[in-house]
Each structure stands twice: as structure tokens, then as C-alpha cells.
Amino acid sequence: MAWAPEASRTAAGGGGTNLEVLRALESGPRGLVESEAEERLLRHGENVFPGRRPEPLPLRFAHSLRDPFTAVLVCLGLVSAVLSSWATACVIVVLVAVSCVLRTMGEHRADRSAAGLRELVATTATVRRRAAETSPPAAREVPVDQLVPGDLVLLSPGDLVPADLRLLRTTGLTVHEAALTGESTPVDKSAPGNTGAPDDRRHLCFQGSSVVSGSASGVVVATGRDTLLSGALAGSSLRTHTPRGPFDRSVNGIAWTLIRFMLLTAPLVLIASALLRGRGLETLPFAVAVAVGLTPEMLPVIVTSALARGAALLARDSEVIVRRLPALHDLGAVDVLCVDKTGTLTQDRPVVECSVDADGEPDPAVLRWAAVNALWTLHLAEVPVPDALDEALLDADEEAGAAACAGAFDDYDGVASLPCGPGRRISTAVVRLPGDSRFALANTHTLVVKGAPEDVLDRCALDDTEREQLAGRAAALAADGLRVLAVAVAERPAHSGPYTHAVERGLAFTGFVGLRDALAPTAAEAIAELARGGVAVKLLTGDHPGTAARVCRELGGDPGVPVTADRIDALTDEEELKQLAARTTVFARCTPEHKARVVQALRSGGHTVGFLGDGVNDLAALHAADVGICPRDGVDVAREAADVVLASKDLTALDRAIVAGRRSTSNIAAYLRITLSSNVGNVVAMLVAGLMLPFLPMLPAQVLVQNLCFDAAQLALAFDRPDPGAHNRPVVLRPRALLRFVTGFGLLNAAADLATFGVLLLAVHSLGEDGQEAFHAGWFTENLLTQAMVMLLLRSGRQLAEGDTPGPIRWATAGLAVVGLLLPLSPVGPLLGMAVLPAMYYALLAVVLALYAVGLAAARARFDR
């Protein structure tokens, strides 16, 4: 009988004894034979996460053409080709190709870097297999991707669970499932025994979890795409439509606004020329040239160059991988960051926060007794590695070695241990002072007991009032976000027989030890930097409200009143949820659906939302956010779902990524402000001049050369360093604000052009037949000079006066001015239909440019205010 996937569902579902499960999987206690394992590997495939396959480069290139502005440029290129304007068509093709290649290669590099992160996780598992049918079983290490259903896997502390397992044998096994559930507390696991599996999932271990303490053996019931990890991805919102992010809403919105304006301009030029000047289709090339001149054809190149450069610098300097280039723009727009707690802001280990006596006063002796219990439980119970709580107690005791009580218990020797187990939440260590063994029976042994407060208090010699008071104190510590252990001791006459649980009665209560989750080393610094940068941080976790509030306080924030999942469930009005999400900092007891719903409510409220999470339970929220962010230790499915991956454990890299996004977006915004205000001014002036002059104000070839020069200079904007003030707040491209800016500065530019128009008429009226060529040369020069001035003043502002103009902008504008002045005077000028201008023109032009500079500076100062 060939094994089928139904067997895994039967085994995992809890039906049958261990023997029945092994039979269903065609396995046994001695493990699989190597030949059978190889056959199953061929049948079921490798045990790898079925992540999204990298797109082939040609397909990725084709997808980059779907950008609306790129599509319009392609259409303009086709129209130019039909009109035999081959130079214009070739330039447009080059611009589109450069933009698409930059985007394709940037995203391809990001995918390769993200794939390299898989090497950071464990790659082998310990299995029991046989070389042949008659060979004895042997434990061996095999690559995780070679595991097959039916394999017997051996687990020990620190191991990652390599596949979905049905447990066959356990010894004090606890497993960390935060990546799956978001709950930071380790979960007890136990084998179902011979009576069949229980109704819960304590007998199952899932891929993506890790062993905290104890040991176990289990049989693989699911691998690869059949595991819970893969199922969570397949059934999550990752398969739904991704909502449009800030990049789509802003850049594409601006693009479509310009497209509509551009599509109206060309017919307007044709109609006006036909009605007022009697020109027909001979004006069509000029109309197309005007449309191209209005179009910020470098937009795809500038956007892609700025984002690709920012992403490359982040990958090189900050170990941040941007998997989708527009996500860098979206990072710069983020004003709310939702963060999962466990594994992200906190580490997967506790630390001791306090040790108090029965009156609630600090008492280091309580910690020392708890450490004595942890030490001798470890040694005498033969646990390979202490669980996380025992490690925390021993570390804290070692750090407190110089305290007043140090040395008080150093002379105790271990006698016996009664460890924790299934259904038992306390451990007992029996210790004694070393002495002559001949008098051992006359000595006294000390019982040191620690564990869950209610279980320890039940074994203490207390009246009901005292027990109630102490239980209330433990509850108060727990409400403050601490994991609480109670400690008690008792003296017992020494005896040589084994100790049983019966001795754990009549104990003397000693005190409580409170433990908290250890913060990630750079978490507090990262949160502080985000707050200074105008990003509000909200905590979304599956943990207890008290635990989440404590973490928030330790990070320097004000948790306010935490909101739990039941409060979210009670809200049916989405408007109320938006208001609640906006004013709340801590959300606790959240399921994946609650996290996603909070993120969506914040987005509906007008915020740009990022989500930082590392587990399967964060998938829905990662997908619902504008930007999904995953730390490097996140599970595979979370890294695949994220737009940005932090390859470094330093969380401050997130702030550097946001700053890089703001810089890139500022450069894109600067390009749009500069090119659109200049182009709009030029087009308005050309339309007015075209209606007043008996000839075209500029020839199509001259318009094209002017655009080429301006476009080449504007490439410097992709490599510019914006003002430091741009990094202190989220940067969003807002179409309406941009339209106001472009309208105001465009009209100012049109006024300068029309003033130049008057100067040209005054300067060239006596040139006769050469007047038209001189007019073209004068306007060509003025346009390039004003465009250079716009780049300097609108980009650099007050930095120009301080002599701190960025290098790329300085060189680009200087080159643009030189071309504008010298090209009409060069041998190329006559070829383009331009003649030499009289000296008087340059003197009058200097006056116009000076007035224009004053107007620009005044308008820029008013805009800044």
C-alpha cells in the first residue's frame, strides 16, 4: 500500500494509538529503510517551503512595462515614429528601456538576497533510519529538505521542529510556538499514550516551532506544502488581492493627471493653430513635440533610479533587503508602525525582574533559593539543557553573586530531584549540608520547591486568609506583565529511601520571583528613533495585556489602556474601530484576524501603515499593511510575504530604511516639482507665442534637444541628498499639493518666458531673414538657463546662499547653462535652425533672469512657510 496524504491528516487529526498511526504511515519504531525514504522523497518532493518562484528576467521586464506612464511614453514613441520623428521615438525607447532594466535588476537582486537568508536557519535534523531491512536502527543527521512522511525524528533542547510531527515519546517537553500563535509562553507537549490521542494538539509539533526543554521522538506526518506553515500561507489573505499602496496612489495618480492634461494639449495646439493662423496638419509634429515637452518622460527613470539606489545602499550598509522597489517609497510615507512583540521587540528568553518576600519587599534570598532548585533539578534530573526559566534564574543568581546573601547556600549538595512533568507545574530539589556520611541519617535535608504560585501555595502551611493575600500579590505581579514563580522551603529528616511527592506538604512560603521577556538589544533605541521621526508605534500581540503593557513601558512608551481582542470583536461599526485603532497603543490577545483588522482600520483612517512581524500568525497583517516588514529570524512564510526583510538583528536598521525611503521620495518629489513647473511654464508660453507669431516659436527638433539636455541634467536628482529636514517626518507625494506648487511656479516660469519673448522681439526685429532663427536661438538659451535656475533654487533653497549646494546638482546645472549659452554659437546651431544673437539680447536676458531669480526665491520662501 502506497502512503497517501490522507494518512497524515488521519495521524495529525488525533485518531488512533501510536501503533495505528505508525501503521497508517507505513513506518515503525525502528524508522524507515533508506531505500524507502528515497522512494518517498521522489513521490512527495523535498521538505521545503513552496515560496513564490522568482520571475524570469524577461517576464519581470515585461511586467515593468505595465506602469501607466511608461505605457504613455511608448504610445508617444509610436506616434513619433508614424510622423517620422525618429529622433524623438529613439529617445523615448531608450528612456523606457533604461527605466525597465533598472527596476528589473533591482528587484532581481533583492530576490536573490532574500533567498540567501534561508541559509541562516537550521539545515539538518536527527532521524532514526536503517541501512537495510535487517539492519539495526541508527540515529543520523540528514538535511531537513530530505525528510519524508514516516521518518522518526529525535528532538532535544534548542532544536527547530523540521516538519509536522506526531509525538511518540516525550520527557518534560516544552515547545515555543510564538511563530505560529504569537504566544510567548512555552507550551507543554506530551505523547498521547496507548489510549488514542487527546482532543487538543498537545501531541503534535509543527514546523516553525522550537524545543525549549525536554526531549522527544515523533513521526513525520507532513512535509513541504502539506505542513501547517504552507497551509497557513495557502489559506491566508496572501491569496487575496493586494490593496493599492501609497506608491500606486501617489505616483500613478500624478501620472494619470499629467496624461489627461497632455492628451488635451496636443489637440488644443492643432485647433488653435488652425483657427487663428490657418495652419493644418503641418503643425502636428510641433503639437507632438509640445506634448512630449509637457511630459516628464524621465519620471520612470528618476523613480526607478532613486529607489534602486536607496535599496542598494540599504542592502550594502544597513543589511536591509527591499524585495519590491515601490516598498521603499512606501516606507518613507509610513506614519504608523504596528509591531508584533514576541521574537520582534523581545527575545525568546525570560530575565528576572524581581524577587520579593511574603510582604512584597525585595529579598535576594528568594532568588537564591530558586536558583538552588534550578541547579540541582538540572543535575539530578539529568536534563540535557535547562529550560528558559531555569537559565534565567541561574544567570540572575550569578549576576547577584556579590549580594549580601551570597555564599549562604553555596555549601548545599543535591540529594534528589522531583522535576516538573505533564500536569505537574512545580519542581522540588532536595539538598543538604555536606557532612560525614556515617551520620547522614541524623542530618536534616532541605526541600526547595518552586513553580506556579497556586500549586506552591496549596502545599504551604498557610491559613485561608494568608493564602488569599499571597495569591492576590501573585496576581498583581502577573497583571504587571511578569511571569511569576512561587518559592517555598521545608526541613525534613534525612532518609536513604527515594523521595516522593508526598513530602511536598507543610512548606514554609519564602517569596515570589518575577520574570519578564528580555527586550531585543536595540529595540528601545529603535522605537525612540522612530518616534523622533514622526512614526507612531503600536503593539499588536497575542500575549496577556499586562505583559504587553510592561514591554511598551520598558521601551519608553505610554501603553495607555490596552485593548483586547474581545473589545475589537464587539465593534461592528468600522468607523468606531478606526477611532479606537487611532488612539490605542497596545492591542493584546490578538489572533491573526484581529491584527489584520486593526491594520486595515488604520489604513482606512488615512494612515500609511507598516507591520513588523516574524511568524505565521502575522501573515494576514503583513499582507494587509502598506509595507510588510520581517526580521531575519522570521519563518520562511513571513519572509516570503514581506516587502522588506531586516537581514541584521539590529532593529535600528528599520529607522535607517525609513530615512532612506524618505530621501528617495524627496528626490522624486523634487524632480516632479522642478520638471513640471518648468514644463508647464514653457508650454503655456509656447502656446501664447505660437498664436501671436507668424512662425512656430520653436522647431520640433529644438524642443527635442532642449528636452534631452534638461532630462540628462535631471538625472542628478536621483543621486541628490535632500535637506535634513526632509528626514524628520513622513514624506508623501500628494497630487493636490503638487498641483498647487506646479500651478504657481509654472505661471511664474511662463511670465519669465513671455518677458523673454518681448526681449527677443526687441532684440531681433532688425535682423530680417535671420530673425526667426535668432528668435529660436534666444528662446532655446533662455529656456535652458531658466531650467538650470529652477533646479538650483527649487531644489536647494537656502543652501545655495550658504554655499552648500549638493555636488551632482551643481555640476548638472552648470553643464545645462553652458549648453544653453554655447550651442547656438557652435556649428551645431545652424543645423538646428538657430542663428547668432546680438550682444544686446544677453544684457536684456540677464535682467530678466535676475528678476526671475528674485521671484523664484520669494515664492520658494512663501511656499516653505
Side-chain angles (χ1 to χ4, degrees):
M1 180 183 68
W3 183 88
E6 286 77 6
S8 77
R9 286 191 283 271
T10 301
T17 64
N18 289 342
L19 183 59
E20 292 170 341
V21 169
L22 289 172
R23 285 177 177 171
L25 295 171
E26 293 188 351
S27 183
R30 297 194 301 160
L32 295 176
V33 179
E34 289 289 352
S35 59
E36 173 65 17
E38 293 175 2
E39 180 185 341
R40 294 190 182 192
L41 184 62
L42 292 174
R43 191 188 317 153
H44 304 293
E46 292 185 340
N47 178 36
V48 295
F49 166 68
R52 60 184 180 192
R53 296 180 178 178
E55 285 185 326
L57 287 178
L59 183 60
R60 194 186 293 272
F61 182 89
H63 285 169
S64 64
L65 293 171
R66 293 181 300 184
D67 177 87
F69 215 83
T70 301
V72 169
L73 284 179
V74 172
C75 293
L76 284 175
L78 293 175
V79 172
S80 301
V82 170
L83 297 174
S84 298
S85 299
W86 298 110
T88 303
C90 290
V91 170
I92 290 175
V93 169
V94 170
L95 292 176
V96 170
V98 169
S99 172
C100 293
V101 167
L102 286 173
R103 176 174 295 187
T104 298
M105 297 310 298
E107 294 185 354
H108 178 66
R109 284 194 300 267
D111 274 352
R112 285 193 305 176
S113 300
L117 292 177
R118 295 189 180 96
E119 300 176 1
L120 298 176
V121 300
T123 57
T124 63
T126 305
V127 301
R128 186 181 297 150
R129 283 183 180 176
R130 293 171 289 158
E133 192 69 41
T134 58
S135 302
R140 53 167 297 196
E141 295 288 318
V142 301
V144 167
D145 58 10
Q146 302 298 302
L147 287 179
V148 296
D151 259 328
L152 292 185
V153 176
L154 307 180
L155 299 176
S156 58
D159 286 348
L160 292 176
V161 178
D164 288 357
L165 307 178
R166 158 81 175 234
L167 296 173
L168 303 176
R169 179 195 58 81
T170 60
T171 302
L173 182 68
T174 60
V175 174
H176 202 286
E177 293 184 337
L180 303 173
T181 65
E183 184 66 54
S184 62
T185 306
V187 180
D188 293 330
K189 296 288 185 177
S190 60
N194 295 323
T195 59
D199 293 334
D200 58 23
R201 293 189 171 186
R202 290 180 57 190
H203 64 296
L204 298 174
C205 282
F206 299 103
Q207 185 182 37
S209 55
S210 59
V211 178
V212 177
S213 63
S215 59
S217 65
V219 60
V220 175
V221 296
T223 60
R225 64 178 66 253
D226 296 322
T227 62
L228 178 66
L229 277 175
S230 300
L233 177 62
S236 72
S237 58
L238 287 176
R239 299 180 66 92
T240 63
H241 174 66
T242 303
R244 291 202 310 164
F247 183 83
D248 295 327
R249 295 194 300 267
S250 57
V251 174
N252 289 350
I254 292 169
W256 280 113
T257 301
L258 295 175
I259 288 168
R260 296 185 186 98
F261 189 35
M262 178 193 65
L263 293 177
L264 289 174
T265 302
L268 181 62
V269 171
L270 289 174
I271 293 172
S273 298
L275 292 178
L276 299 180
R277 289 293 174 180
R279 304 181 186 123
L281 291 179
E282 67 270 14
T283 316
L284 184 58
F286 176 71
V288 173
V290 169
V292 174
L294 178 63
T295 304
E297 59 268 22
M298 290 295 291
L299 180 60
V301 178
I302 295 292
V303 168
T304 306
S305 298
L307 296 179
R309 179 174 181 267
L313 292 176
L314 281 175
R316 186 189 68 189
D317 300 334
S318 301
E319 295 184 312
V320 176
I321 299 171
V322 180
R323 304 195 61 184
R324 185 177 57 86
L325 283 185
L328 185 59
H329 164 276
D330 296 348
L331 267 178
V334 165
D335 59 348
V336 175
L337 179 67
C338 298
V339 187
D340 176 50
K341 180 184 74 67
T342 307
T344 304
L345 297 178
T346 62
Q347 305 178 59
D348 292 337
R349 66 178 183 87
V351 294
V352 173
E353 173 69 16
C354 65
S355 60
V356 298
D357 59 18
D359 297 324
E361 298 297 325
D363 187 353
V366 178
L367 173 61
R368 177 54 60 90
W369 280 122
V372 167
N373 173 284
L375 177 66
W376 290 111
T377 298
L378 166 64
H379 287 305
L380 298 176
E382 298 182 352
V383 179
V385 178
D387 66 20
L389 295 179
D390 285 344
E391 282 184 329
L393 293 171
L394 293 172
D395 289 344
D397 179 64
E398 183 177 355
E399 292 177 3
C405 67
F409 311 117
D410 287 348
D411 294 332
Y412 279 99
D413 286 339
V415 175
S417 174
L418 302 173
C420 297
R424 174 178 163 82
R425 300 190 298 168
I426 65 170
S427 65
T428 298
V430 183
V431 298
R432 66 176 174 83
L433 282 170
D436 190 342
S437 60
R438 293 174 298 173
F439 303 101
L441 292 179
N443 292 338
T444 300
H445 288 175
T446 303
L447 274 64
V448 185
V449 181
K450 70 170 172 54
E454 53 270 29
D455 292 2
V456 174
L457 291 175
D458 285 343
R459 291 165 171 79
C460 290
L462 301 168
D463 59 34
D464 292 342
T465 301
E466 292 173 326
R467 185 173 287 106
E468 184 177 345
Q469 290 176 346
L470 292 173
R473 184 160 289 119
L477 291 172
D480 196 32
L482 297 178
R483 195 177 306 170
V484 183
L485 295 176
V487 182
V489 298
E491 300 293 333
R492 295 288 186 268
H495 61 86
S496 58
Y499 280 87
T500 66
H501 299 162
V503 300
E504 298 167 339
R505 297 294 175 188
L507 306 176
F509 180 77
T510 302
F512 297 110
V513 177
L515 301 99
R516 59 174 174 82
D517 290 334
L519 295 179
T522 57
E525 181 183 356
I527 296 302
E529 289 179 353
L530 290 171
R532 287 193 293 270
V535 179
V537 179
K538 298 182 182 293
L539 192 61
L540 278 63
T541 178
D543 263 340
H544 186 279
T547 303
R550 168 174 282 274
V551 169
C552 185
R553 286 193 295 269
E554 291 173 349
L555 292 172
D558 179 9
V561 179
V563 170
T564 55
D566 54 355
R567 174 79 182 281
I568 298 175
D569 290 334
L571 292 177
T572 56
D573 186 352
E574 292 302 318
E575 187 63 34
E576 292 183 13
L577 180 58
K578 284 194 291 186
Q579 297 175 4
L580 178 66
R583 65 174 182 265
T584 302
T585 302
V586 175
F587 296 86
R589 297 298 190 197
C590 289
T591 65
E593 291 74 19
H594 292 120
K595 293 181 180 180
R597 192 178 173 196
V598 170
V599 169
Q600 290 166 350
L602 289 168
R603 291 190 65 193
S604 299
H607 296 283
T608 303
V609 184
F611 185 87
L612 175 61
D614 66 337
V616 177
N617 62 313
D618 298 320
L619 287 177
L622 283 169
H623 190 65
D626 291 302
V627 187
I629 309 164
C630 180
R632 82 168 189 179
D633 294 330
V635 297
D636 281 350
V637 286
R639 289 202 300 268
E640 291 290 339
D643 302 305
V644 177
V645 179
L646 306 180
S648 170
K649 290 187 176 181
D650 184 2
L651 287 179
T652 59
L654 178 57
D655 180 70
R656 294 194 291 274
I658 289 177
V659 169
R662 293 176 180 179
R663 285 179 175 173
S664 298
T665 305
S666 295
N667 287 342
I668 296 170
Y671 165 75
L672 287 170
R673 288 197 299 266
I674 290 169
T675 191
L676 292 180
S677 58
S678 178
N679 288 358
V680 167
N682 288 340
V683 168
V684 170
M686 280 188 182
L687 290 176
V688 174
L691 297 177
M692 298 178 63
L693 293 174
F695 53 85
L696 294 177
M698 288 185 73
L699 299 179
Q702 295 165 356
V703 175
L704 175 62
V705 172
Q706 174 188 295
N707 288 341
L708 282 176
C709 295
F710 193 30
D711 290 342
Q714 289 180 106
L715 276 175
L717 292 170
F719 304 94
D720 190 20
R721 299 188 64 182
D723 296 337
H727 310 160
N728 298 331
R729 60 190 183 279
V731 179
V732 182
L733 297 176
R734 303 187 186 279
R736 290 185 179 180
L738 180 64
L739 182 61
R740 289 195 298 270
F741 184 99
V742 168
T743 300
F745 285 89
L747 292 177
L748 183 61
N749 188 40
D753 286 346
L754 291 175
T756 304
F757 172 65
V759 167
L760 284 170
L761 292 179
L762 178 65
V764 305
H765 73 282
S766 62
L767 294 181
E769 294 181 356
D770 294 334
Q772 181 174 335
E773 288 75 10
F775 188 96
H776 291 158
W779 207 335
F780 180 88
T781 298
E782 184 269 345
N783 277 338
L784 288 187
L785 291 178
T786 55
Q787 287 168 342
M789 190 176 297
V790 166
M791 284 186 65
L792 278 177
L793 294 180
L794 294 192
R795 178 65 200 96
S796 301
R798 288 180 293 275
Q799 289 185 354
L800 180 63
E802 299 167 1
D804 192 23
T805 304
I809 302 298
R810 180 179 62 225
W811 290 109
T813 53
L816 195 61
V818 168
V819 171
L821 289 170
L822 298 184
L823 185 63
L825 306 178
S826 71
V828 179
L831 298 177
L832 293 175
M834 292 186 287
V836 178
L837 287 159
M840 181 182 66
Y841 167 73
Y842 293 102
L844 294 174
L845 179 61
V847 175
V848 172
L849 291 178
L851 294 174
Y852 181 50
V854 172
L856 272 181
R860 172 65 187 267
R862 180 176 181 181
F863 178 82
D864 288 342
R865 289 195 299 268

